Structures are given as C-alpha cells and as structure tokens.
Amino acid sequence: TLSKWYNGRWYDGTWFDGTWYNGRRYAGDWKKGTWFNGIWNDGHWFGGNFLGGIWVEGTWESGIFNCDSKPAYWINGKFISGDFENGIWYNGIFGNDRKILTRFGTKANNSRTATWHAGKWLDGEFHSFVNRDTQTGEPIISEIHKYSIWRTGLWVTGNWYGGIAYNIDFRGGNW
C-alpha cells in the first residue's frame, strides 16, 4: 500500500496496491491501487482507480476510470464492470452478459466530458452525470445531456439515462 512507481517500464507480473505516477505497463495483473498517469498496454485490471493516462488493450474487471488528474483515453479492450466516469473512449467492448453493474459517464461534467468513439456496447448504464431519485436512490434521467456524447458504435442493450447521440446503431434497451 505504500509502494510508489514514478517512471520506467514494467513487464508482466502482479501489482497489489500502491500508487503509479508515470511510465508504461505491459501485461500482467493489477489487483488494487491508484494510477495517476502513464500508458497501460494489455493486461488485466481487477480494481482500483485509473485517474488519467492512456489505456491500450486489456481487460477491465472493476474499478474507477476517469480523468481527474490527467486526460484519460481508452483505446480498445474489454470493460466488463465498473465506472467509466469521464474520459474519451476509442473502440472496445463495454459491458458483460453477467448482469454486473457497468456505467459510463457517471461523473461527466462541463470540463470533464465522457465521449464514446466507436465500439460495441453490450450492456450497462449510459449517463450524462448520474442523477438519482432522492427517495429511492435509483438512477433517473440526467438533468444536463451535453456532458456525455456518443459519436458512433453498436448499442446492443442497456439503459440510456442521458447524453447526446450521433450515429448510434441502437438494437435494444431502455432510452
């Protein structure tokens, strides 16, 4: 939990906790921790916070993905469960067939949007900042729709709570 990585290249292996500040990671497993910047190349993410950097390939099982410390870019890979709060998505697979909660745009705002550029949406929730019912706590329609933007891609099923959609191949779900 006290480990810190400041720069360099890491090949394979397992990261169990601590803080990543910069560098490039190739393959391996990420079990927990905080990622502040750098380039992720393939591997398996099992939990933690990705707060800026570039994701290239790999499988995301759970955790928080956002641009709270630096710009955050997703370039291909599988996002199985967790929160893609804000950042820019370029291709990949989003969601799962296991009905595990997977959300996009939950903390999108005027200065940190959530933008989807291509890919395959299997299931999940699409928000333009998550808005909740004050009585039940359940998600409801977003108040401001300009914070999350869908540019192109295939939507298989899921729940659309808010955002702007361009060129969406919408196959099913709740709008």
Side-chain angles (χ1 to χ4, degrees), residues 21-33:
Y21 287 101
N22 209 351
R24 198 161 190 160
R25 173 139 167 101
Y26 298 89
D29 293 334
W30 180 280
K31 300 284 184 168
K32 185 180 171 185

Side-chain angles (χ1 to χ4, degrees), residues 9 23 41 54 65 85 106 109 117 123-124 151:
R9 295 174 187 257
N41 288 97
I54 301 171
F65 185 98
E85 294 180 340
T106 54
N109 60 60
H117 293 276
D123 195 7
R151 294 286 180 197

Side-chain angles (χ1 to χ4, degrees), residues 81-117:
S81 67
D83 275 322
F84 190 101
E85 294 180 340
N86 48 44
I88 299 175
W89 174 283
Y90 292 101
N91 211 4
I93 296 172
F94 190 92
N96 59 79
D97 56 3
R98 296 179 268 171
K99 300 300 175 199
I100 301 169
L101 186 60
T102 308
R103 304 182 304 178
F104 186 91
T106 54
K107 287 195 178 172
N109 60 60
N110 203 35
S111 62
R112 293 186 171 111
T113 61
T115 305
W116 176 281
H117 293 276

Side-chain angles (χ1 to χ4, degrees), residues 48-145:
N49 298 313
F50 189 100
L51 306 179
I54 301 171
W55 175 282
V56 183
E57 297 287 342
T59 302
W60 183 282
E61 289 281 344
S62 68
I64 303 291
F65 185 98
N66 68 39
C67 57
D68 281 0
S69 78
K70 296 271 188 175
Y73 302 94
W74 176 280
I75 303 170
N76 222 342
K78 293 171 74 175
F79 196 99
I80 294 172
S81 67
D83 275 322
F84 190 101
E85 294 180 340
N86 48 44
I88 299 175
W89 174 283
Y90 292 101
N91 211 4
I93 296 172
F94 190 92
N96 59 79
D97 56 3
R98 296 179 268 171
K99 300 300 175 199
I100 301 169
L101 186 60
T102 308
R103 304 182 304 178
F104 186 91
T106 54
K107 287 195 178 172
N109 60 60
N110 203 35
S111 62
R112 293 186 171 111
T113 61
T115 305
W116 176 281
H117 293 276
K120 186 176 183 179
W121 180 283
L122 298 179
D123 195 7
E125 297 178 359
F126 193 96
H127 298 270
S128 183
F129 193 88
V130 70
N131 190 20
R132 298 192 177 278
D133 183 286
T134 56
Q135 308 250 334
T136 66
E138 292 296 314
I140 57 176
I141 296 169
S142 300
E143 289 181 17
I144 300 172
H145 294 278

Side-chain angles (χ1 to χ4, degrees), residues 4-11 20-26 35 37-41:
K4 294 178 182 176
W5 181 274
Y6 284 103
N7 212 338
R9 295 174 187 257
W10 176 307
Y11 293 91
W20 181 281
Y21 287 101
N22 209 351
R24 198 161 190 160
R25 173 139 167 101
Y26 298 89
W35 177 286
N37 195 28
I39 300 172
W40 172 278
N41 288 97

